[in-house]
Amino acid sequence: MTQHANGPFAVTMTPAGAPEHEGRTAFGRMQLDKQYAGDLVATGNGQMLTAVTDTQGSAAYVAIERISGTLKGRKGSFAIHHTGTMSGGTKQLTISVVTDSGTDELTGIAGTMALKIVEGEHSYEFDYTLPHGGPG
């Protein structure tokens, strides 16, 4: 049965070196540090790779993030992968749990996450399943 979690999060992105320019594209790498609140009380740490073109509104990124903490009372960790594109200002983002990455009480977790930014405030919507039900 699919469960739903949501809440705010804060993110800090730190460049891991200067961007490298090749042709019309700047390639960069960022360290991600997040603090999740709400239904997911956790920290997120990861790496992001970016490709930003000289055409405004055209870019892409991929990231891997490890989330450790408590999801609706269940302790553990899991990994998510991000794939984001922007074409002519139109954004598309997919964030999914890495299969078999869950630990402890989150073993077997699967799901997808959506991020929202409204007036500078970040929040997440997380639809997930766990094999043995439990609180949530």
mmCIF file of all heavy atoms in Angstrom, residues 64-108:
data_model
loop_
_atom_site.group_PDB
_atom_site.id
_atom_site.type_symbol
_atom_site.label_atom_id
_atom_site.label_comp_id
_atom_site.label_asym_id
_atom_site.label_seq_id
_atom_site.Cartn_x
_atom_site.Cartn_y
_atom_site.Cartn_z
ATOM 1 N N ILE A 64 22.963 11.919 -6.678
ATOM 2 C CA ILE A 64 22.726 10.779 -5.794
ATOM 3 C C ILE A 64 22.781 11.332 -4.380
ATOM 4 O O ILE A 64 23.689 12.098 -4.040
ATOM 5 C CB ILE A 64 23.803 9.683 -5.971
ATOM 6 C CG1 ILE A 64 23.817 9.139 -7.396
ATOM 7 C CG2 ILE A 64 23.603 8.571 -4.939
ATOM 8 C CD1 ILE A 64 22.627 8.277 -7.760
ATOM 9 N N GLU A 65 21.806 10.944 -3.557
ATOM 10 C CA GLU A 65 21.702 11.474 -2.198
ATOM 11 C C GLU A 65 21.394 10.344 -1.225
ATOM 12 O O GLU A 65 20.561 9.487 -1.519
ATOM 13 C CB GLU A 65 20.573 12.512 -2.172
ATOM 14 C CG GLU A 65 20.291 13.141 -0.867
ATOM 15 C CD GLU A 65 19.118 14.113 -0.935
ATOM 16 O OE1 GLU A 65 18.642 14.460 -2.040
ATOM 17 O OE2 GLU A 65 18.657 14.513 0.146
ATOM 18 N N ARG A 66 22.070 10.337 -0.087
ATOM 19 C CA ARG A 66 21.778 9.384 0.981
ATOM 20 C C ARG A 66 20.974 10.131 2.046
ATOM 21 O O ARG A 66 21.395 11.187 2.523
ATOM 22 C CB ARG A 66 23.043 8.818 1.601
ATOM 23 C CG ARG A 66 22.749 7.855 2.749
ATOM 24 C CD ARG A 66 23.984 7.277 3.440
ATOM 25 N NE ARG A 66 25.088 8.196 3.509
ATOM 26 C CZ ARG A 66 26.273 7.986 2.932
ATOM 27 N NH1 ARG A 66 26.485 6.900 2.224
ATOM 28 N NH2 ARG A 66 27.243 8.869 3.051
ATOM 29 N N ILE A 67 19.811 9.572 2.407
ATOM 30 C CA ILE A 67 18.938 10.166 3.419
ATOM 31 C C ILE A 67 18.957 9.257 4.644
ATOM 32 O O ILE A 67 18.689 8.060 4.531
ATOM 33 C CB ILE A 67 17.509 10.335 2.870
ATOM 34 C CG1 ILE A 67 17.533 11.298 1.678
ATOM 35 C CG2 ILE A 67 16.562 10.821 3.957
ATOM 36 C CD1 ILE A 67 16.208 11.435 0.956
ATOM 37 N N SER A 68 19.281 9.829 5.800
ATOM 38 C CA SER A 68 19.372 9.062 7.047
ATOM 39 C C SER A 68 18.546 9.741 8.123
ATOM 40 O O SER A 68 18.697 10.948 8.343
ATOM 41 C CB SER A 68 20.827 8.985 7.530
ATOM 42 O OG SER A 68 21.653 8.380 6.561
ATOM 43 N N GLY A 69 17.674 8.964 8.783
ATOM 44 C CA GLY A 69 16.864 9.541 9.846
ATOM 45 C C GLY A 69 15.654 8.688 10.150
ATOM 46 O O GLY A 69 15.746 7.463 10.182
ATOM 47 N N THR A 70 14.512 9.362 10.311
ATOM 48 C CA THR A 70 13.274 8.693 10.684
ATOM 49 C C THR A 70 12.152 9.105 9.732
ATOM 50 O O THR A 70 11.927 10.295 9.509
ATOM 51 C CB THR A 70 12.877 9.069 12.130
ATOM 52 O OG1 THR A 70 13.965 8.750 12.990
ATOM 53 C CG2 THR A 70 11.659 8.302 12.580
ATOM 54 N N LEU A 71 11.468 8.115 9.168
ATOM 55 C CA LEU A 71 10.325 8.338 8.283
ATOM 56 C C LEU A 71 9.085 7.834 9.007
ATOM 57 O O LEU A 71 8.912 6.622 9.191
ATOM 58 C CB LEU A 71 10.521 7.596 6.957
ATOM 59 C CG LEU A 71 9.357 7.629 5.976
ATOM 60 C CD1 LEU A 71 9.022 9.062 5.559
ATOM 61 C CD2 LEU A 71 9.676 6.775 4.751
ATOM 62 N N LYS A 72 8.267 8.766 9.474
ATOM 63 C CA LYS A 72 7.053 8.425 10.221
ATOM 64 C C LYS A 72 7.326 7.370 11.294
ATOM 65 O O LYS A 72 6.639 6.356 11.388
ATOM 66 C CB LYS A 72 5.945 7.968 9.273
ATOM 67 C CG LYS A 72 5.385 9.094 8.433
ATOM 68 C CD LYS A 72 4.126 8.668 7.724
ATOM 69 C CE LYS A 72 3.474 9.859 7.045
ATOM 70 N NZ LYS A 72 2.224 9.453 6.381
ATOM 71 N N GLY A 73 8.371 7.612 12.091
ATOM 72 C CA GLY A 73 8.683 6.745 13.213
ATOM 73 C C GLY A 73 9.580 5.560 12.895
ATOM 74 O O GLY A 73 9.975 4.836 13.811
ATOM 75 N N ARG A 74 9.904 5.343 11.639
ATOM 76 C CA ARG A 74 10.763 4.210 11.263
ATOM 77 C C ARG A 74 12.163 4.724 10.973
ATOM 78 O O ARG A 74 12.353 5.566 10.096
ATOM 79 C CB ARG A 74 10.198 3.496 10.042
ATOM 80 C CG ARG A 74 8.835 2.882 10.313
ATOM 81 C CD ARG A 74 8.342 2.179 9.111
ATOM 82 N NE ARG A 74 8.416 0.748 9.386
ATOM 83 C CZ ARG A 74 8.041 -0.188 8.536
ATOM 84 N NH1 ARG A 74 7.630 0.127 7.340
ATOM 85 N NH2 ARG A 74 8.116 -1.444 8.878
ATOM 86 N N LYS A 75 13.145 4.177 11.686
ATOM 87 C CA LYS A 75 14.535 4.622 11.547
ATOM 88 C C LYS A 75 15.258 3.853 10.457
ATOM 89 O O LYS A 75 15.018 2.667 10.252
ATOM 90 C CB LYS A 75 15.282 4.448 12.866
ATOM 91 C CG LYS A 75 14.778 5.356 13.956
ATOM 92 C CD LYS A 75 15.574 5.187 15.226
ATOM 93 C CE LYS A 75 15.002 6.094 16.308
ATOM 94 N NZ LYS A 75 15.738 5.980 17.553
ATOM 95 N N GLY A 76 16.157 4.552 9.784
ATOM 96 C CA GLY A 76 16.979 3.909 8.772
ATOM 97 C C GLY A 76 17.505 4.922 7.783
ATOM 98 O O GLY A 76 17.475 6.129 8.014
ATOM 99 N N SER A 77 17.981 4.395 6.677
ATOM 100 C CA SER A 77 18.492 5.250 5.602
ATOM 101 C C SER A 77 18.121 4.634 4.261
ATOM 102 O O SER A 77 17.751 3.462 4.176
ATOM 103 C CB SER A 77 20.010 5.415 5.715
ATOM 104 O OG SER A 77 20.665 4.184 5.486
ATOM 105 N N PHE A 78 18.214 5.441 3.225
ATOM 106 C CA PHE A 78 17.996 4.984 1.856
ATOM 107 C C PHE A 78 18.630 6.010 0.923
ATOM 108 O O PHE A 78 18.955 7.127 1.333
ATOM 109 C CB PHE A 78 16.507 4.777 1.534
ATOM 110 C CG PHE A 78 15.645 5.989 1.737
ATOM 111 C CD1 PHE A 78 15.343 6.830 0.669
ATOM 112 C CD2 PHE A 78 15.113 6.289 2.984
ATOM 113 C CE1 PHE A 78 14.537 7.949 0.848
ATOM 114 C CE2 PHE A 78 14.299 7.392 3.171
ATOM 115 C CZ PHE A 78 14.008 8.228 2.112
ATOM 116 N N ALA A 79 18.819 5.610 -0.315
ATOM 117 C CA ALA A 79 19.405 6.497 -1.323
ATOM 118 C C ALA A 79 18.349 6.861 -2.356
ATOM 119 O O ALA A 79 17.443 6.068 -2.643
ATOM 120 C CB ALA A 79 20.593 5.816 -2.007
ATOM 121 N N ILE A 80 18.463 8.086 -2.873
ATOM 122 C CA ILE A 80 17.600 8.510 -3.977
ATOM 123 C C ILE A 80 18.471 9.019 -5.112
ATOM 124 O O ILE A 80 19.617 9.438 -4.898
ATOM 125 C CB ILE A 80 16.583 9.602 -3.552
ATOM 126 C CG1 ILE A 80 17.285 10.837 -2.981
ATOM 127 C CG2 ILE A 80 15.573 9.040 -2.569
ATOM 128 C CD1 ILE A 80 16.334 11.995 -2.644
ATOM 129 N N HIS A 81 17.934 8.928 -6.339
ATOM 130 C CA HIS A 81 18.638 9.498 -7.490
ATOM 131 C C HIS A 81 17.729 10.520 -8.153
ATOM 132 O O HIS A 81 16.524 10.326 -8.274
ATOM 133 C CB HIS A 81 19.134 8.425 -8.462
ATOM 134 C CG HIS A 81 18.065 7.587 -9.089
ATOM 135 N ND1 HIS A 81 17.468 7.888 -10.281
ATOM 136 C CD2 HIS A 81 17.490 6.444 -8.658
ATOM 137 C CE1 HIS A 81 16.573 6.967 -10.574
ATOM 138 N NE2 HIS A 81 16.560 6.082 -9.606
ATOM 139 N N HIS A 82 18.347 11.640 -8.544
ATOM 140 C CA HIS A 82 17.656 12.760 -9.178
ATOM 141 C C HIS A 82 18.068 12.822 -10.648
ATOM 142 O O HIS A 82 19.246 12.662 -10.967
ATOM 143 C CB HIS A 82 18.109 14.101 -8.599
ATOM 144 C CG HIS A 82 18.007 14.270 -7.131
ATOM 145 N ND1 HIS A 82 17.372 15.357 -6.577
ATOM 146 C CD2 HIS A 82 18.482 13.552 -6.082
ATOM 147 C CE1 HIS A 82 17.466 15.297 -5.256
ATOM 148 N NE2 HIS A 82 18.143 14.219 -4.941
ATOM 149 N N THR A 83 17.132 13.107 -11.512
ATOM 150 C CA THR A 83 17.410 13.428 -12.908
ATOM 151 C C THR A 83 16.554 14.633 -13.258
ATOM 152 O O THR A 83 15.325 14.547 -13.230
ATOM 153 C CB THR A 83 17.058 12.262 -13.855
ATOM 154 O OG1 THR A 83 17.777 11.098 -13.439
ATOM 155 C CG2 THR A 83 17.412 12.594 -15.296
ATOM 156 N N GLY A 84 17.202 15.752 -13.552
ATOM 157 C CA GLY A 84 16.466 16.968 -13.845
ATOM 158 C C GLY A 84 16.907 17.597 -15.149
ATOM 159 O O GLY A 84 18.094 17.596 -15.469
ATOM 160 N N THR A 85 15.950 18.096 -15.907
ATOM 161 C CA THR A 85 16.248 18.819 -17.140
ATOM 162 C C THR A 85 15.416 20.086 -17.185
ATOM 163 O O THR A 85 14.343 20.174 -16.594
ATOM 164 C CB THR A 85 15.944 17.978 -18.396
ATOM 165 O OG1 THR A 85 14.558 17.618 -18.389
ATOM 166 C CG2 THR A 85 16.798 16.723 -18.464
ATOM 167 N N MET A 86 15.960 21.053 -17.908
ATOM 168 C CA MET A 86 15.223 22.273 -18.179
ATOM 169 C C MET A 86 15.462 22.588 -19.652
ATOM 170 O O MET A 86 16.605 22.667 -20.103
ATOM 171 C CB MET A 86 15.719 23.418 -17.291
ATOM 172 C CG MET A 86 14.825 24.632 -17.355
ATOM 173 S SD MET A 86 15.079 25.820 -16.014
ATOM 174 C CE MET A 86 16.794 26.214 -16.159
ATOM 175 N N SER A 87 14.389 22.723 -20.389
ATOM 176 C CA SER A 87 14.448 22.997 -21.818
ATOM 177 C C SER A 87 13.567 24.204 -22.109
ATOM 178 O O SER A 87 12.350 24.134 -21.932
ATOM 179 C CB SER A 87 13.960 21.776 -22.607
ATOM 180 O OG SER A 87 13.968 22.048 -23.980
ATOM 181 N N GLY A 88 14.188 25.294 -22.503
ATOM 182 C CA GLY A 88 13.427 26.506 -22.769
ATOM 183 C C GLY A 88 12.661 26.989 -21.552
ATOM 184 O O GLY A 88 11.595 27.574 -21.677
ATOM 185 N N GLY A 89 13.178 26.699 -20.359
ATOM 186 C CA GLY A 89 12.527 27.112 -19.130
ATOM 187 C C GLY A 89 11.526 26.113 -18.583
ATOM 188 O O GLY A 89 11.050 26.255 -17.470
ATOM 189 N N THR A 90 11.191 25.067 -19.353
ATOM 190 C CA THR A 90 10.273 24.031 -18.884
ATOM 191 C C THR A 90 11.067 22.983 -18.115
ATOM 192 O O THR A 90 12.007 22.397 -18.658
ATOM 193 C CB THR A 90 9.537 23.368 -20.070
ATOM 194 O OG1 THR A 90 8.813 24.380 -20.766
ATOM 195 C CG2 THR A 90 8.582 22.284 -19.590
ATOM 196 N N LYS A 91 10.678 22.754 -16.860
ATOM 197 C CA LYS A 91 11.414 21.852 -15.987
ATOM 198 C C LYS A 91 10.775 20.474 -15.935
ATOM 199 O O LYS A 91 9.554 20.350 -15.955
ATOM 200 C CB LYS A 91 11.467 22.419 -14.568
ATOM 201 C CG LYS A 91 12.183 23.741 -14.469
ATOM 202 C CD LYS A 91 12.114 24.290 -13.065
ATOM 203 C CE LYS A 91 12.736 25.669 -13.000
ATOM 204 N NZ LYS A 91 12.662 26.224 -11.640
ATOM 205 N N GLN A 92 11.639 19.454 -15.848
ATOM 206 C CA GLN A 92 11.188 18.090 -15.621
ATOM 207 C C GLN A 92 12.139 17.468 -14.607
ATOM 208 O O GLN A 92 13.360 17.543 -14.773
ATOM 209 C CB GLN A 92 11.195 17.280 -16.916
ATOM 210 C CG GLN A 92 10.680 15.877 -16.728
ATOM 211 C CD GLN A 92 10.589 15.113 -18.035
ATOM 212 O OE1 GLN A 92 10.949 15.606 -19.087
ATOM 213 N NE2 GLN A 92 10.127 13.894 -17.945
ATOM 214 N N LEU A 93 11.593 16.875 -13.547
ATOM 215 C CA LEU A 93 12.408 16.311 -12.487
ATOM 216 C C LEU A 93 11.849 14.967 -12.069
ATOM 217 O O LEU A 93 10.650 14.833 -11.821
ATOM 218 C CB LEU A 93 12.434 17.253 -11.276
ATOM 219 C CG LEU A 93 13.197 16.771 -10.045
ATOM 220 C CD1 LEU A 93 14.669 16.541 -10.357
ATOM 221 C CD2 LEU A 93 13.041 17.784 -8.916
ATOM 222 N N THR A 94 12.720 13.967 -11.988
ATOM 223 C CA THR A 94 12.360 12.644 -11.499
ATOM 224 C C THR A 94 13.290 12.311 -10.345
ATOM 225 O O THR A 94 14.509 12.421 -10.486
ATOM 226 C CB THR A 94 12.520 11.578 -12.611
ATOM 227 O OG1 THR A 94 11.702 11.945 -13.724
ATOM 228 C CG2 THR A 94 12.115 10.207 -12.115
ATOM 229 N N ILE A 95 12.703 11.943 -9.205
ATOM 230 C CA ILE A 95 13.486 11.526 -8.046
ATOM 231 C C ILE A 95 12.910 10.198 -7.574
ATOM 232 O O ILE A 95 11.719 10.109 -7.259
ATOM 233 C CB ILE A 95 13.420 12.557 -6.904
ATOM 234 C CG1 ILE A 95 13.891 13.928 -7.393
ATOM 235 C CG2 ILE A 95 14.258 12.080 -5.711
ATOM 236 C CD1 ILE A 95 13.689 15.039 -6.371
ATOM 237 N N SER A 96 13.760 9.161 -7.539
ATOM 238 C CA SER A 96 13.311 7.824 -7.157
ATOM 239 C C SER A 96 14.246 7.209 -6.131
ATOM 240 O O SER A 96 15.453 7.482 -6.127
ATOM 241 C CB SER A 96 13.275 6.905 -8.386
ATOM 242 O OG SER A 96 12.397 7.405 -9.364
ATOM 243 N N VAL A 97 13.690 6.342 -5.290
ATOM 244 C CA VAL A 97 14.497 5.582 -4.343
ATOM 245 C C VAL A 97 15.335 4.572 -5.119
ATOM 246 O O VAL A 97 14.841 3.919 -6.043
ATOM 247 C CB VAL A 97 13.600 4.862 -3.314
ATOM 248 C CG1 VAL A 97 14.414 3.935 -2.417
ATOM 249 C CG2 VAL A 97 12.816 5.869 -2.476
ATOM 250 N N VAL A 98 16.605 4.454 -4.763
ATOM 251 C CA VAL A 98 17.478 3.445 -5.356
ATOM 252 C C VAL A 98 17.046 2.078 -4.815
ATOM 253 O O VAL A 98 16.977 1.883 -3.590
ATOM 254 C CB VAL A 98 18.963 3.716 -5.022
ATOM 255 C CG1 VAL A 98 19.852 2.594 -5.539
ATOM 256 C CG2 VAL A 98 19.395 5.065 -5.594
ATOM 257 N N THR A 99 16.725 1.158 -5.704
ATOM 258 C CA THR A 99 16.267 -0.174 -5.325
ATOM 259 C C THR A 99 17.257 -0.846 -4.382
ATOM 260 O O THR A 99 18.464 -0.800 -4.601
ATOM 261 C CB THR A 99 16.075 -1.043 -6.589
ATOM 262 O OG1 THR A 99 15.138 -0.384 -7.439
ATOM 263 C CG2 THR A 99 15.561 -2.429 -6.247
ATOM 264 N N ASP A 100 16.734 -1.452 -3.326
ATOM 265 C CA ASP A 100 17.500 -2.207 -2.327
ATOM 266 C C ASP A 100 18.477 -1.357 -1.528
ATOM 267 O O ASP A 100 19.425 -1.876 -0.938
ATOM 268 C CB ASP A 100 18.247 -3.384 -2.972
ATOM 269 C CG ASP A 100 17.300 -4.410 -3.569
ATOM 270 O OD1 ASP A 100 16.219 -4.629 -2.972
ATOM 271 O OD2 ASP A 100 17.625 -4.968 -4.626
ATOM 272 N N SER A 101 18.244 -0.042 -1.444
ATOM 273 C CA SER A 101 19.150 0.822 -0.679
ATOM 274 C C SER A 101 18.690 1.041 0.760
ATOM 275 O O SER A 101 19.449 1.560 1.578
ATOM 276 C CB SER A 101 19.309 2.177 -1.371
ATOM 277 O OG SER A 101 18.092 2.907 -1.364
ATOM 278 N N GLY A 102 17.472 0.647 1.116
ATOM 279 C CA GLY A 102 16.954 0.885 2.453
ATOM 280 C C GLY A 102 17.641 0.043 3.515
ATOM 281 O O GLY A 102 18.031 -1.103 3.265
ATOM 282 N N THR A 103 17.796 0.637 4.716
ATOM 283 C CA THR A 103 18.419 -0.068 5.835
ATOM 284 C C THR A 103 17.479 -0.055 7.040
ATOM 285 O O THR A 103 16.526 0.727 7.102
ATOM 286 C CB THR A 103 19.751 0.589 6.256
ATOM 287 O OG1 THR A 103 19.491 1.891 6.777
ATOM 288 C CG2 THR A 103 20.728 0.668 5.093
ATOM 289 N N ASP A 104 17.791 -0.914 8.011
ATOM 290 C CA ASP A 104 17.090 -0.989 9.285
ATOM 291 C C ASP A 104 15.572 -1.077 9.062
ATOM 292 O O ASP A 104 15.125 -1.931 8.310
ATOM 293 C CB ASP A 104 17.476 0.188 10.184
ATOM 294 C CG ASP A 104 18.974 0.211 10.494
ATOM 295 O OD1 ASP A 104 19.546 -0.879 10.680
ATOM 296 O OD2 ASP A 104 19.564 1.301 10.523
ATOM 297 N N GLU A 105 14.789 -0.194 9.665
ATOM 298 C CA GLU A 105 13.331 -0.262 9.548
ATOM 299 C C GLU A 105 12.823 0.251 8.201
ATOM 300 O O GLU A 105 11.622 0.203 7.938
ATOM 301 C CB GLU A 105 12.676 0.530 10.682
ATOM 302 C CG GLU A 105 12.929 -0.072 12.057
ATOM 303 C CD GLU A 105 12.392 0.784 13.183
ATOM 304 O OE1 GLU A 105 12.743 1.983 13.263
ATOM 305 O OE2 GLU A 105 11.612 0.231 13.984
ATOM 306 N N LEU A 106 13.734 0.729 7.343
ATOM 307 C CA LEU A 106 13.357 1.181 5.998
ATOM 308 C C LEU A 106 13.828 0.206 4.920
ATOM 309 O O LEU A 106 13.808 0.524 3.728
ATOM 310 C CB LEU A 106 13.905 2.593 5.750
ATOM 311 C CG LEU A 106 13.388 3.660 6.722
ATOM 312 C CD1 LEU A 106 14.034 5.008 6.442
ATOM 313 C CD2 LEU A 106 11.870 3.762 6.666
ATOM 314 N N THR A 107 14.225 -0.997 5.325
ATOM 315 C CA THR A 107 14.631 -2.023 4.363
ATOM 316 C C THR A 107 13.467 -2.335 3.428
ATOM 317 O O THR A 107 12.341 -2.525 3.880
ATOM 318 C CB THR A 107 15.081 -3.300 5.101
ATOM 319 O OG1 THR A 107 16.211 -2.975 5.901
ATOM 320 C CG2 THR A 107 15.440 -4.411 4.127
ATOM 321 N N GLY A 108 13.737 -2.337 2.142
ATOM 322 C CA GLY A 108 12.718 -2.641 1.141
ATOM 323 C C GLY A 108 11.932 -1.438 0.662
ATOM 324 O O GLY A 108 11.015 -1.567 -0.146
#
